[in-house]
Amino acid sequence: MPSERTLSIIKPDATRRNLTGRINALFEEKGLRIIAQKRLQLTQAQAEAFYAVHKARPFFKDLVTFMISGPVVAQVLEGENAVAKNREVMGATDPKKAEQGTIRALHAESIEANSVHGSDSAENAAQEIAFFFAGIDIVG
Ligand code: CMP
């Protein structure tokens, strides 16, 4: 399996509780390499643009409010099968359904405040990486 890249976001519920290092350790233990990373405060327009695909969903407005409620850490993860591997490490969107030992089972507060985001396909990963990072920011 060739090396792949995916976009990860450590969400405001996790940065608020100072969990960035613990979450990063879980990525690294599972063989994902953090090849770009920055902490930033999203604006409302940026959060709406990032989650545009969910615009029609009932949770969209609350999701945007939550995502701008504090800093996030955007990162590019690289490794074999990185998109699927990251989704495995994160666990299910709803922490009640997440497998034991996953980031969301360990740390998420709710389906909304679920600590991390990860791209759901290689195609979306490329778009989401380009949303946050220029090529020069990524050192593989
Ligand atoms: P994420 O992987 O970032 O993609 C969309 C986000 O919407 C999701 O994680 C959750 O944080 C949030 N969300 C809030 N409510 C729901 C819901 N009912 N179903 C799916 N996602 C939800």
Side-chain angles (χ1 to χ4, degrees):
M1 181 68 71
S3 187
E4 194 175 63
R5 291 176 177 182
T6 191
L7 189 278
S8 164
I9 303 175
I10 301 179
K11 296 186 179 185
D13 67 287
T15 60
R16 191 180 304 122
R17 287 175 288 149
N18 210 16
L19 294 172
T20 300
R22 260 184 275 180
I23 289 172
N24 280 348
L26 290 166
F27 291 140
E28 292 180 345
E29 278 162 23
K30 301 291 178 183
L32 290 164
R33 187 175 293 273
I34 301 159
I35 60 168
Q37 176 167 263
K38 64 180 165 192
R39 181 172 162 107
L40 68 159
Q41 172 65 53
L42 289 173
T43 64
Q44 179 161 342
Q46 287 168 336
E48 285 174 356
F50 182 79
Y51 278 121
V53 65
H54 295 304
K55 208 172 178 130
R57 307 285 288 272
F59 56 81
F60 180 72
K61 205 165 167 259
D62 282 352
L63 173 62
V64 169
T65 302
F66 164 65
M67 289 300 287
I68 64 173
S69 68
V72 299
V73 177
Q75 37 191 203
V76 181
L77 307 179
E78 185 177 73
E80 254 182 48
N81 215 5
V83 172
K85 184 174 278 185
N86 183 35
R87 294 181 73 76
E88 210 179 290
V89 178
M90 289 191 300
T93 306
D94 181 351
K96 288 189 216 121
K97 296 179 184 154
E99 267 191 55
Q100 239 188 332
T102 61
I103 293 170
R104 285 164 170 163
L106 286 167
H107 298 303
E109 295 179 324
S110 67
I111 193 167
E112 177 179 270
N114 64 354
S115 299
V116 278
H117 165 83
S119 308
D120 63 4
S121 67
E123 195 188 358
N124 285 341
Q127 283 179 21
E128 291 183 358
I129 289 169
F131 185 92
F132 284 103
F133 296 98
I136 199 168
D137 298 325
I138 302 169
V139 185

